[in-house]
Amino acid sequence: MTFQNTLEFAQQLDAADQLSKYKQEFHYPQVNGSDVIYFTGNSLGLQPKRTQKYVDEVMKDWRELAVEGHFYAEKPWWDYHERLAEGLAKVVGAQPKEISVMNTLTVNLHLLMVSFYRPTAKRFKIICEEKAFPSDQYMLQSQVRFHGLDPKEAIVEVKKRDGEHAWRTEDIIQKIDEVGEELALVLMGGVNYYNGQVLDMQTITAAGKAVGAFVGWDLAHAVGNVKLNLHDWNADFASWCSYKYMNSGPGNASGIFVHEKHLGKKDIPRFEGWWGNKKETRFLMKPEFDPIASADAWQLSNPPILSLAPYLASLELFDEVGMDALIEKQKTIVAYLEFILHEIDKQVDSTFEIITPTERGCQLSVFLHGEGRALFDYLMENGVITDWREPNVIRLAPAPFYCSYEDMYRFGQILKQGTQNK
Ligand SMILES: *Cc1c(COP(=O)(O)O)cnc(C)c1O
């Protein structure tokens, strides 16, 4: 498609967009009396309008039924989390029994490492990407120290080549092969939070499995963003948060995937609690743990229903639209944003360098040469919500659910003014 940097062209794209009606399904912050152009769905997705109803329903059931709500609410609380499994299974390419919803992301990665990082004298190393999201680095280091090992020896980071902004799959595979029999676990971010790169999860998973390691994925920036096929890829486990592209609200509950082959086992190391016990025997309060034959076996506590309600509302939207349609629009809108950036780049003195490689999802990370904080502040004051990463990077994620082509055009005009108004 040949793009044009005009309002009419952007509006034509919106008119042809099957998903444009979903813009009305979300609430927008206001700046100068208008809806903002929202580029930070990779950090906190917008609130779907229908979410309020789901939360109100739980508040009402609690008010009117109190403890009886566990079994007699319209959506009973004791198995409320199971309502999310089917929708999430479609989003991540899994079977419903491989999914559970619980806790928050870093907590879940720790819990999953209890099961899938079992270092021995010989096999004790972990491969991750260099400069992983800080929480992931702290998590890996503290797990390694917990086992009495030295993070400097046990954690192997795959680096980018000098002068390059993205990882090469061949370098990751080479590192996996090199560490070989010493490799206990590969745990990486499926989509990198900084440069927006989508790793070749299928190839990397296969390489890790081939040397006998466990392979897990942090899907914080991948879920609801890119095509995932966790079951067929044969990943051992994964976890994600729900407040980024999944639009389920600040700090909200996380999801996990555990591959079918690890389910229904009593002898797997795992931190356990009563909500992981089979439902039939849970309330018999027996001393011996009898795991549910699903990823719910990793659940410790009875789930936070007020958190699950917004997650269920947002999953309903994903179910209605489907990942394929979302990804199709995403590809076009990100390409249009890229085009707009190049067009504005030609018209102004300063230069923008897109550091996101072609293996990408929703996000373009843009290096502002010679610009910086002042331009970022100008954008924010003029209703473009984006975010700033040191040293000089803004991240733009036009989530296909609620961003329009007209937003991209208007953003270009504001960006152009911002570079001229310094
Ligand atoms: C957003 C994000 C997190 C956040 O972790 P929480 O436990 O939800 O606070 C962790 N890892 C990555 C890669 C992220 O992008």
Side-chain angles (χ1 to χ4, degrees):
M1 193 185 313
T2 323
F3 291 135
Q4 293 169 29
N5 184 21
T6 63
L7 180 61
E8 296 71 39
F9 184 80
Q11 287 173 338
Q12 274 170 32
L13 287 177
D14 282 325
D17 172 17
Q18 306 279 329
L19 267 54
S20 61
K21 61 176 187 280
Y22 284 93
K23 205 169 169 48
Q24 301 153 28
E25 292 271 351
F26 291 84
H27 290 293
Y28 294 79
Q30 304 286 304
V31 170
N32 307 329
S34 314
D35 289 356
V36 297
I37 298 169
Y38 198 72
F39 280 123
T40 42
N42 56 350
S43 191
L44 180 69
L46 292 179
Q47 183 184 131
K49 289 180 180 163
R50 66 180 72 179
T51 300
Q52 186 75 51
K53 179 166 72 78
Y54 282 68
V55 175
D56 287 349
E57 182 184 280
V58 177
M59 293 299 280
K60 177 171 177 287
D61 287 339
W62 176 26
R63 190 165 60 236
E64 294 178 1
L65 301 171
V67 73
E68 297 281 273
H70 282 297
F71 296 103
Y72 301 109
E74 195 181 307
K75 300 186 183 84
W77 305 330
W78 84 299
D79 59 0
Y80 195 102
H81 59 283
E82 291 179 7
R83 295 168 185 274
L84 289 93
E86 199 155 315
L88 272 171
K90 284 190 209 148
V91 172
V92 302
Q95 299 172 7
K97 69 177 175 199
E98 293 172 316
I99 301 291
S100 190
V101 177
M102 58 195 216
N103 312 314
T104 46
L105 173 56
T106 308
V107 173
N108 283 340
L109 288 173
H110 272 300
L111 290 174
L112 289 162
M113 281 187 77
V114 168
S115 300
F116 298 108
Y117 179 56
R118 287 134 57 175
T120 61
K122 184 160 173 230
R123 200 184 267 282
F124 63 97
K125 292 191 176 170
I126 300 173
I127 284 186
C128 65
E129 70 277 31
E130 71 169 335
K131 298 200 182 113
F133 192 85
S135 196
D136 298 36
Q137 295 188 47
Y138 309 150
M139 186 234 345
L140 294 177
Q141 290 165 16
S142 59
Q143 282 276 341
V144 163
R145 284 197 306 269
F146 176 76
H147 287 284
L149 299 167
D150 179 358
K152 282 200 204 67
E153 280 173 36
I155 300 175
V156 180
E157 294 186 347
V158 184
K159 305 208 180 316
K160 297 179 209 123
R161 295 189 190 183
D162 283 347
E164 295 189 2
H165 293 303
W167 287 269
R168 294 196 189 196
T169 306
E170 67 211 77
D171 292 352
I172 300 171
I173 303 303
Q174 198 200 338
K175 192 60 85 182
I176 289 172
D177 291 342
E178 198 180 294
V179 178
E181 292 190 347
E182 289 183 343
L183 186 60
L185 173 67
V186 178
L187 180 47
M188 306 179 95
V191 176
N192 185 259
Y193 80 98
Y194 186 80
N195 71 357
Q197 178 177 8
V198 182
L199 292 186
D200 184 345
M201 289 174 257
Q202 180 169 15
T203 303
I204 295 167
T205 303
K209 300 305 300 171
V211 300
F214 285 119
V215 180
W217 292 100
D218 178 339
L219 300 178
H221 279 261
V223 71
N225 176 17
V226 299
K227 188 84 186 159
L228 297 168
N229 238 323
L230 293 175
H231 177 87
D232 289 348
W233 293 344
N234 198 22
D236 292 292
F237 69 96
S239 188
W240 54 88
C241 48
S242 62
Y243 47 81
K244 293 175 178 170
Y245 294 106
M246 297 296 300
N247 311 321
S248 86
N252 206 357
S254 158
I256 66 163
F257 161 88
V258 179
H259 197 280
E260 182 183 26
K261 66 192 168 200
H262 302 300
L263 302 179
K265 291 190 175 162
K266 283 194 182 176
D267 56 355
I268 193 165
R270 175 172 51 209
F271 287 168
E272 295 170 341
W274 72 321
W275 233 255
N277 195 90
K278 280 204 179 114
K279 286 194 285 189
E280 303 80 62
T281 53
R282 181 181 299 152
F283 298 104
L284 301 179
M285 305 295 192
K286 287 192 178 152
E288 200 204 335
F289 182 76
D290 191 7
I292 306 180
S294 78
D296 287 339
W298 274 260
Q299 281 204 346
L300 302 179
S301 301
N302 75 100
I305 305 303
L306 282 166
S307 293
L308 299 190
Y311 203 171
L312 190 59
S314 97
L315 267 174
E316 192 183 275
L317 282 164
F318 275 85
D319 217 41
E320 241 171 74
V321 173
M323 282 310 297
D324 289 341
L326 276 172
I327 290 169
E328 196 184 311
K329 172 169 178 189
Q330 176 208 82
K331 285 193 192 319
T332 315
I333 198 166
V334 173
Y336 190 53
L337 173 62
E338 183 180 36
F339 165 81
I340 297 277
L341 281 163
H342 287 314
E343 286 298 299
I344 303 301
D345 200 17
K346 284 186 222 155
Q347 297 172 17
V348 300
D349 293 339
S350 49
T351 53
F352 316 120
E353 183 189 358
I354 297 173
I355 61 170
T356 302
T358 49
E359 306 85 41
R360 67 193 184 194
C362 203
Q363 175 181 326
L364 292 180
S365 302
V366 185
F367 205 97
L368 304 175
H369 288 288
E371 293 290 341
R373 255 341 265 210
L375 179 57
F376 169 76
D377 291 341
Y378 182 87
L379 292 174
M380 294 291 279
E381 281 158 20
N382 286 278
V384 177
I385 309 299
T386 168
D387 79 358
W388 174 260
R389 285 285 178 267
E390 296 295 339
N392 225 2
V393 167
I394 56 170
R395 301 185 305 167
L396 304 168
F401 251 129
Y402 47 71
C403 289
S404 67
Y405 294 94
E406 185 174 334
D407 286 343
M408 301 305 108
Y409 169 77
R410 285 174 44 224
F411 160 69
Q413 296 305 302
I414 297 168
L415 180 68
K416 184 172 162 183
Q417 290 221 316
T419 59
Q420 290 164 348
N421 275 15
K422 292 176 292 180

